[in-house]
Amino acid sequence: MLYFQLHKENSIPLYEQLYIGIKNAISKQQLAVGARLPSKRELADFFSISQTTVELAYAQLLAEGFIMSKPRVGYFVEEIDELPFIVPVNAEINSMAEEKPTYAIDFSSAQIDENSFPFTIWRKYAKDVLDTPFKHLLQTGERQGELALRSEIANYLHQSRGIKCTPEQIVIGSGTEQLLPMILKLFDDHAKLALENPGYSPIHRDQLKQRAIPVPIDTDGLIIEELQKTAANLVYVTPSHQFPTGAVLSANRRTQLLKWAAQAPNRYIIEDDYDSEFRYTGKPIPALQGLDQNERVIYLSTFTKSLMPSLRVAFFVLPPALLKRYQTDFTYYSATVPRFEQHILARFMKDGHFSKHLNRMRKIYRKKHDKLIEIFSSQFPEVHISGDAAGTHLLISVPHHQNEQQLHDIALKQGIHIAPLSNYTLTANPYRERVFLLGFGNIPLTLLESYIQQLMACWGIHKKK
C-alpha cells in the first residue's frame, strides 16, 4: 500500500495530494516498474475519499506517463527514464564573469549624464503607445523598421547633418554591432575592410580576421595615402569625431577619400557619425554622405550618446544601388528593435523633444568639458590634452616612467577606471606616451575637480602650487 497521508484540512485539493504522493513514490522507486496500483475502489476505501477523487489523480498520472492502464485489469507503474544530471564546470566562475564591475570613479567614455534624461516626457510617450489604440503594434512590423521612425530620422539627418536620403533608404537595428555585419554581407567574402588605427570597430578584430586592414591616423584623421596602398575596397571611418583620438578628417582628406571611393567599382565608405551632435569649437562638421556626388557612402549612426545606450536603436542609410541589393538579399531580416520603442522614439522626435534634449545636453557637456580644460591647465599643466573639440571624452597624455598598463592597474586598485588608448589599437601600440581616454559624460560637474585630483594623486602627479 502507499505510505503517505492525505490532509483534508489542507488547501491543496485531495486529488492533487494523491497525485503528488503516487508520483513521488514512483520517482523515488518506492513503487517498482510494472507494479499494480490499487483499484479506484480500494484506494478510495483506504483513504476514506470518493472514487472520483482517485479517478482524477489517476487521470493526471496517466496523462503524464507515470502509469499505464490495462482495460479490465488495472493501473500499473510505467518505466521512467532518469534525466542525467551533469555538474556544470566552472559554474561559479561563469556566474561571476557576467557581473558588471563597479568603480568608485568611472571615467568611461561610453556613459551619458543619467540625471539629465527627460524621464517625465519619455514616460508620457511610453504610456500613450502602450494603450489600446496602438494594439496593432503587437503584430510584426516593417522589415527595415517602422516608417514613422525612419521618416523622423530622415528629417533630422537632412536638417542637422545635410544628408540626402529618403525613409526607404534607412534600415533600423539594435546597435552598430548588429548593423555593420549586415553591411558587410552586401559584399562578397573577399572584400577587404580598412579600419582606423587606433579606432573602434563594432565587430571584434578577431572575428574580422584577414578582412581587416589597419590604416594609421594622425591629427587630421585617416591618412589617405596609406589607405591607397592597401587592397581594401571598404573603409570604416569616424570622420566628424575620430574615435578615440577626437581628430577631425580635414577637408582635403575628405575630398581624397571620396575620390578614392569613386576610382573603382564596388568601393564604399562606411561613415560612422560618432558623437557628431556634441561639438565645442567651430561649426558642425558636415557629414561625408552629404558631400558625396557618386553615392559611395553608407551612413551609420546611433542614439547611444544622444539619448541613452540602453535604447539600442541604430540605423544606416544605403545608397540606391546598395538598397536594391539589400532588398534582394535580406528578405529574411526583420527589424530587431521592438515596435513600441520605435514609435515612442518617433513621437519624441516628431514633437521636437529630441532637438530640445540635444540642445540641453550640449550645454551640460560643454560646461563639463570647459571645467576639465580649466582643471588641467591650472592644476596639472604637465598633462597634455587632445581630442577635446567634440564628444564626451578627451585624451590625456601623462608624463610618467611607468607604462599605460601599469598606470591603469594603479588606478584600478584605487577604484578608478580609465581606459588606455592602446585598448583601441589594431596593431602593436605605436604610442610611446601614456595616453588615456577620460570620459566625463556621467560625472557630476561638482565632482569633476575632486575626481581628477584623486586620479592624479594615485599616479603621483602633484597639483601645481
Side-chain angles (χ1 to χ4, degrees), residues 48-119:
S48 299
I49 55 178
S50 70
Q51 290 188 40
T52 301
T53 299
V54 179
E55 189 172 354
L56 288 171
Y58 277 1
Q60 186 63 33
L61 292 165
L62 271 170
E64 294 184 19
F66 284 97
I67 63 175
M68 62 176 292
S69 173
K70 293 182 180 180
R72 299 183 181 180
V73 179
Y75 296 94
F76 297 84
V77 175
E78 276 275 35
E79 184 175 2
I80 307 296
D81 289 339
E82 290 187 20
L83 289 174
F85 177 75
I86 302 174
V87 178
V89 179
N90 294 332
E92 184 178 350
I93 295 175
N94 292 336
S95 175
M96 290 172 62
E98 293 175 1
E99 294 180 7
K100 186 177 179 180
T102 56
Y103 310 100
I105 301 173
D106 192 355
F107 289 113
S108 169
S109 63
Q111 296 188 346
I112 64 165
D113 191 313
E114 298 171 354
N115 295 324
S116 301
F117 186 78
F119 283 102

Side-chain angles (χ1 to χ4, degrees), residues 227-297:
L227 172 64
Q228 291 169 338
K229 297 176 185 177
T230 71
N233 59 324
L234 299 171
V235 59
Y236 180 95
V237 292
T238 50
S240 296
H241 182 238
Q242 201 279 333
F243 184 88
T245 68
V248 175
L249 193 65
S250 66
N252 186 46
R253 289 191 184 176
R254 286 168 179 261
T255 302
Q256 291 177 356
L257 184 57
L258 291 170
K259 284 183 177 178
W260 170 87
Q263 284 169 357
N266 224 28
R267 271 189 186 176
Y268 285 90
I269 302 163
I270 302 172
E271 176 186 14
D272 187 341
D273 207 16
Y274 174 79
D275 260 359
S276 62
E277 297 93 352
F278 306 115
R279 183 161 180 80
Y280 309 118
T281 59
K283 296 181 179 180
I285 305 299
L288 273 177
Q289 199 270 6
L291 304 174
D292 181 26
Q293 301 297 316
N294 297 293
E295 298 179 338
R296 294 298 183 92
V297 176

Side-chain angles (χ1 to χ4, degrees), residues 372-384:
L372 277 175
I373 303 298
E374 188 273 327
I375 292 169
F376 279 107
S377 61
S378 62
Q379 299 182 27
F380 307 101
E382 67 270 42
V383 176
H384 177 69

Side-chain angles (χ1 to χ4, degrees), residues 410-429:
I410 289 170
L412 203 58
K413 287 179 181 179
Q414 300 296 318
I416 303 172
H417 170 252
I418 185 166
L421 181 63
S422 55
N423 283 5
Y424 301 95
T425 55
L426 303 178
T427 55
N429 182 14

Side-chain angles (χ1 to χ4, degrees), residues 191-379:
K192 300 288 187 180
L193 175 66
L195 294 168
E196 298 167 323
N197 186 36
Y200 166 76
S201 172
I203 307 177
H204 195 274
R205 64 194 73 171
D206 293 338
Q207 293 176 301
L208 288 169
K209 296 180 181 177
Q210 300 303 317
R211 296 189 71 174
I213 302 174
V215 178
I217 64 165
D218 59 18
T219 54
D220 286 332
L222 188 78
I223 302 174
I224 309 303
E225 290 82 359
E226 296 297 324
L227 172 64
Q228 291 169 338
K229 297 176 185 177
T230 71
N233 59 324
L234 299 171
V235 59
Y236 180 95
V237 292
T238 50
S240 296
H241 182 238
Q242 201 279 333
F243 184 88
T245 68
V248 175
L249 193 65
S250 66
N252 186 46
R253 289 191 184 176
R254 286 168 179 261
T255 302
Q256 291 177 356
L257 184 57
L258 291 170
K259 284 183 177 178
W260 170 87
Q263 284 169 357
N266 224 28
R267 271 189 186 176
Y268 285 90
I269 302 163
I270 302 172
E271 176 186 14
D272 187 341
D273 207 16
Y274 174 79
D275 260 359
S276 62
E277 297 93 352
F278 306 115
R279 183 161 180 80
Y280 309 118
T281 59
K283 296 181 179 180
I285 305 299
L288 273 177
Q289 199 270 6
L291 304 174
D292 181 26
Q293 301 297 316
N294 297 293
E295 298 179 338
R296 294 298 183 92
V297 176
I298 303 166
Y299 181 89
L300 177 67
S301 192
T302 174
F303 290 93
T304 295
K305 286 291 192 71
S306 57
L307 271 177
M308 50 180 155
S310 63
L311 186 61
R312 305 303 299 159
V313 176
F315 60 91
F316 58 72
V317 180
L318 288 174
L322 287 182
L323 179 61
K324 293 178 183 178
R325 196 182 303 177
Y326 173 87
Q327 291 173 339
T328 300
D329 295 348
F330 282 84
T331 54
Y332 63 88
Y333 174 76
S334 180
T336 53
V337 180
R339 296 185 71 193
F340 286 99
E341 291 188 2
Q342 291 188 57
H343 280 271
I344 293 169
L345 178 54
R347 300 187 74 196
F348 186 81
M349 295 179 75
K350 184 178 181 179
D351 291 348
H353 295 294
F354 180 62
S355 296
K356 291 177 183 177
H357 176 64
L358 278 182
N359 290 334
R360 181 165 178 258
M361 296 314 300
R362 286 189 188 103
K363 296 175 183 177
I364 290 172
Y365 289 141
R366 179 183 287 277
K367 287 181 180 179
K368 295 182 181 184
H369 166 274
D370 293 348
K371 180 67 174 177
L372 277 175
I373 303 298
E374 188 273 327
I375 292 169
F376 279 107
S377 61
S378 62
Q379 299 182 27

Side-chain angles (χ1 to χ4, degrees), residues 125 127-139 339-340 343-344 347:
Y125 286 109
K127 183 180 178 181
D128 290 346
V129 168
L130 290 171
D131 208 346
T132 307
F134 289 89
K135 62 183 178 182
H136 63 281
L137 298 183
L138 297 171
Q139 306 295 344
R339 296 185 71 193
F340 286 99
H343 280 271
I344 293 169
R347 300 187 74 196

